Amino acid sequence: MPEYPVVPGRPCAAAATLELVGDRWSLLVAREIMFGNRRFSQIARNTGAPRDRLAARLKSLVASGILEKREYQATRFEYHLTKAGAELFPLLLSLLAWGDRWAVDEPPMLVEHHGHRIQPTTVCSVCGEAIDGQGLHWTPNAPGWSMAGPDT
């Protein structure tokens, strides 16, 4: 079982997630592997990551259970997403959609589903309604914390 990070501040799954995949290279590595580029040289070329930084990031993604390293030839390895890594897919789609709208003039890649451009949305799996921030109720579950911060 991988060791999960303990982060300072409010106990939060988002903070713990960002410790694991919050740097630029982690999500770009996941993107490349989702595109079928699993070898170090392909990932380095397509992300633009410095090779030493990429090697360190791949090692930490394997250690955290997001990637697995598989030998495809004697002393040659490629990387595959684990179940946890594959579940980054909706996050990447959302980042692409946000970037198309707010970070670039023209989308550098078109993502289609059954012939139409996708517009990712978050939907409640229980009631089927779109989740937009309205109607949410937040309940702190970490001992010693309220919505205002740590209990003192």
Side-chain angles (χ1 to χ4, degrees), residues 78-94:
E78 58 185 17
Y79 296 89
H80 292 262
L81 295 168
T82 62
K83 184 177 182 199
E87 288 186 14
L88 290 170
F89 184 71
L91 174 63
L92 283 169
L93 282 181
S94 293

Side-chain angles (χ1 to χ4, degrees), residues 25-113:
W25 308 122
S26 295
L27 292 175
L28 295 180
V29 164
R31 176 199 67 191
E32 287 306 313
I33 295 171
M34 285 179 192
F35 289 171
N37 300 308
R38 296 182 178 94
R39 296 182 181 170
F40 183 90
S41 60
Q42 295 172 312
I43 296 167
R45 178 190 64 220
N46 296 344
T47 63
R51 295 177 79 79
D52 60 334
R53 191 169 298 163
L54 178 59
R57 180 42 67 199
L58 288 167
K59 185 176 180 180
S60 72
L61 290 169
V62 169
S64 63
I66 294 166
L67 298 180
E68 64 181 15
K69 193 173 173 181
R70 295 183 195 163
E71 190 173 40
Y72 69 89
Q73 198 174 43
T75 70
R76 297 251 183 208
F77 296 89
E78 58 185 17
Y79 296 89
H80 292 262
L81 295 168
T82 62
K83 184 177 182 199
E87 288 186 14
L88 290 170
F89 184 71
L91 174 63
L92 283 169
L93 282 181
S94 293
L95 283 171
L96 284 168
W98 189 93
D100 285 349
R101 183 170 176 161
W102 298 105
V104 297
D105 292 328
E106 187 68 29
M109 178 181 302
L110 301 178
V111 183
E112 295 183 347
H113 177 256

